[in-house]
Amino acid sequence: MSRRARRVLRRPLVLLLTLGVSACSVGPHLKLPAAPPPAHYGAHDPNSAHSAVSMSAALSWTATQNAAWWRMFHAPQLNMLIAEGFSHSPTLAAAKHALTAANEYAIAQEGSLFPTIGLGGGLQRNTAIRSVVGGRVVVPGKPFTLASAEGQISYSADVFGLQTDLIANSRDRAEVSAAELDDARIFLAGNIATAAISYAGNEAEVKLRTRIVQAQTQILGVMNSDYRFGAISDESVEQQKAVLAASKAKLPLVTAARDDARHRLDYLIGTTPDQPVPAFDLKDLVPPTNIPVVIPSVLVEHRPDIVAAMAGVKAASAAVDASTAAMYPSFNISGAFGAGSAVALFNPASEIFSLASSFAAPLFEGGKLSADKKASYALWQQATAQYRNTVLLAFRQVADALRSLQGAEASLAQRQAAATFALNAQTLARERYDAGAITYQTLLNAELLAQSDQVAALTARVTCDQDIVALFVAMGDASPTTPVDNANGSNKS
């Protein structure tokens, strides 16, 4: 390209690049909604000496505990199951791919701030309509080849910040995807823990009811002997048979519930029901006695669904700014330089270049741009309302989880005490029945009460453990990435 051509091409580029650098966004730049957290979660302050609600949970939360709350149960099998889920869950894999796509779209959008440079060329074989050879006109003319090669450059100056606003929107959408990935991790860990506890609880109930059936079978054998010697009536024997049959009828239902929990666990960790899973026993769980609870301000800052909702508000605000900037003119410049010749492509005389600049200003588009701006503003209002709803729901979920856990802990203590007393009463009743001091009906009542209280205590234990998991899930995860290492069960918290 000649010096003159380069000089002519340089000036408009410098001008538009300067405009691009000094671009300013003309959008309204809507403010983010404020969400002042309450002083505490429940209707009563748990730290107050006059509170009517007794809170056993401590308002303390370390990064180590929050990053892997399930390790606070000190159960290596549970750690292994959650690690398996993080590695093989299709749901989590889908969320990871969604985040990758969102990040790549954001990078692609950032490319709009830079000039685009391309290279083109061609080779064309033509025949002239007429040509002169040695002073004589030849029809048709002599064939010739036309060759061309050129470089192209174009640039859109972001004078009013349209591209900047679109980039901000894509970045905020990527932030939404990142928060959704964290949320998927939290719910996956919570669902795995809940399913594992259900599986272990049902397995423990199967063993308990099996022992009950065995004990009742032994009692029936003793009663049959007593009946043959005339010590008891046939009515007592028939009652014992009915109790035994009822106990046997419950066993298949509990076994089916155990298998259902196992199948749910298989699904969550990304495997099929025919594959083995780590053995898990309810006795392996050591629930934390002093549960750390995030304070409300930390909940708003770090709970993933709240972070995602806030990022959605920012993305909607950027969309409002972009729809506003779209109502202003756009400036573009394009240029091409190269060579084209039917004789010698790289001959200086064959140099070609072109330069064009343009701007476009919307004057009348049937109300489209105005409607787009109003629609984007309405979507921002929607995102803002959804953010407030998400915050309120988070406070409610934590408050509900805390209150449920309080009730579950109190119930578990009473159920365990009742089971202990009922077992003692059953032992005493059996001894007195063997000594002939009480009737069979008294013994039967003691047995049924002991069995009922044992099952109730087991159910209360499962409920309490699952309520602890629900509280951890409600509090969310303050760490940006949930670690999946150290799955061998060591607990450093």
Side-chain angles (χ1 to χ4, degrees):
M1 180 184 298
S2 65
R3 181 178 302 175
R4 178 176 177 275
R6 288 193 295 269
R7 187 166 55 250
V8 172
L9 185 62
R10 186 186 305 122
R11 292 174 181 173
L13 279 175
V14 172
L15 174 61
L16 286 180
L17 285 172
T18 303
L19 288 174
V21 171
S22 60
C24 61
S25 177
V26 294
H29 307 299
L30 300 172
K31 294 182 179 180
L32 296 177
H40 47 82
Y41 292 105
H44 303 278
D45 184 359
N47 296 320
S48 172
H50 305 288
S51 174
V53 180
S54 175
M55 297 288 289
S56 63
L59 293 176
S60 61
W61 190 244
T62 66
T64 302
Q65 291 170 328
N66 197 29
W69 51 262
W70 52 90
R71 293 179 186 163
M72 298 179 66
F73 285 94
H74 303 276
Q77 296 87 345
L78 179 60
N79 298 342
M80 292 174 63
L81 288 170
I82 293 178
E84 282 288 315
F86 284 166
S87 299
H88 301 108
S89 170
T91 302
L92 199 58
K96 291 178 182 178
H97 294 314
L99 175 58
T100 300
N103 286 330
E104 295 301 325
Y105 279 131
I107 294 173
Q109 190 67 52
E110 291 173 359
S112 61
L113 292 178
F114 298 91
T116 59
I117 301 174
L119 180 65
L123 192 64
Q124 186 176 8
R125 183 70 172 172
N126 295 315
T127 300
I129 298 177
R130 296 180 179 181
S131 61
V132 179
V133 180
R136 184 168 58 89
V137 177
V138 179
V139 181
K142 184 178 180 181
F144 66 94
T145 300
L146 178 62
S148 64
E150 64 178 15
Q152 299 140 359
I153 183 171
S154 63
Y155 178 70
S156 297
D158 192 25
V159 178
F160 296 104
L162 174 60
Q163 296 301 327
T164 301
D165 294 332
L166 292 176
I167 290 171
N169 178 271
S170 62
R171 287 174 177 170
D172 293 332
R173 292 299 173 191
E175 186 177 348
V176 171
S177 295
E180 288 175 346
L181 174 58
D182 287 338
D183 207 33
R185 287 193 182 102
I186 293 171
F187 275 96
L188 179 61
N191 288 334
I192 290 175
T194 300
I197 292 170
S198 294
Y199 173 73
N202 289 326
E203 176 67 18
E205 187 174 351
V206 167
K207 295 177 180 178
L208 174 60
R209 291 192 179 277
T210 300
R211 291 195 300 268
I212 290 174
V213 168
Q214 292 172 348
Q216 290 177 349
T217 302
Q218 292 176 354
I219 293 176
L220 180 60
V222 174
M223 293 181 68
N224 281 327
S225 298
D226 293 342
Y227 172 71
R228 286 194 296 268
F229 288 104
I232 60 175
S233 65
D234 59 346
E235 181 181 358
S236 298
V237 175
E238 293 302 315
Q239 286 181 337
Q240 181 62 26
K241 288 180 179 179
V243 171
L244 177 59
S247 298
K248 288 183 177 180
K250 294 177 182 178
L251 192 55
L253 299 177
V254 178
T255 304
R258 177 200 61 189
D259 294 340
D260 287 344
R262 161 66 190 275
H263 299 159
R264 185 166 66 253
L265 190 58
D266 290 329
Y267 164 75
L268 291 169
I269 65 176
T271 187
T272 54
D274 60 320
Q275 299 298 316
V277 297
F280 192 75
D281 195 306
L282 199 61
K283 296 179 181 179
D284 296 331
L285 283 177
V286 183
T289 56
N290 194 23
I291 303 169
V293 180
V294 296
I295 59 177
S297 60
V298 176
L299 182 78
V300 174
E301 293 172 2
H302 298 294
R303 185 165 140 148
D305 58 341
I306 296 179
V307 173
M310 176 59 76
V313 172
K314 293 192 294 183
S317 176
V320 175
D321 294 341
S323 64
T324 304
M327 305 177 73
Y328 288 79
S330 59
F331 298 87
N332 302 279
I333 186 171
S334 61
F337 54 91
S341 175
V343 182
L345 182 61
F346 297 103
N347 190 307
S350 67
E351 289 184 357
I352 59 173
F353 79 93
S354 65
L355 176 65
S357 61
S358 64
F359 81 96
L363 297 179
F364 176 76
E365 295 192 16
K368 176 183 180 299
L369 296 179
S370 176
D372 285 344
K373 181 179 179 180
K374 291 178 181 179
S376 61
Y377 182 74
L379 291 175
W380 175 81
Q381 291 178 311
Q382 178 191 24
T384 302
Q386 289 173 339
Y387 169 76
R388 291 196 296 267
N389 182 71
T390 302
V391 173
L392 292 175
L393 181 60
F395 290 145
R396 174 197 165 185
Q397 289 175 341
V398 175
D400 287 348
L402 282 169
R403 197 66 188 90
S404 295
L405 181 56
Q406 286 178 313
E409 287 179 337
S411 176
L412 175 60
Q414 297 301 321
R415 290 293 186 184
Q416 289 176 334
T420 300
F421 296 148
L423 282 174
N424 293 337
Q426 179 189 7
T427 302
L428 293 174
R430 180 65 183 274
E431 293 174 352
R432 296 182 66 187
Y433 175 78
D434 292 340
I438 61 174
T439 65
Y440 166 74
Q441 190 63 46
T442 303
L443 172 62
L444 180 61
N445 291 336
E447 290 175 350
L448 293 177
L449 182 61
Q451 294 165 14
S452 175
D453 285 340
Q454 288 181 73
V455 174
L458 177 60
T459 302
R461 165 67 193 280
V462 171
T463 300
C464 188
D465 290 348
Q466 290 181 337
D467 282 346
I468 293 175
V469 173
L471 175 59
F472 285 135
V473 171
M475 290 188 297
D477 185 358
S479 61
T481 302
T482 302
V484 298
D485 59 343
N486 196 23
N488 58 2
S490 62
N491 191 310
K492 297 181 180 179
S493 60

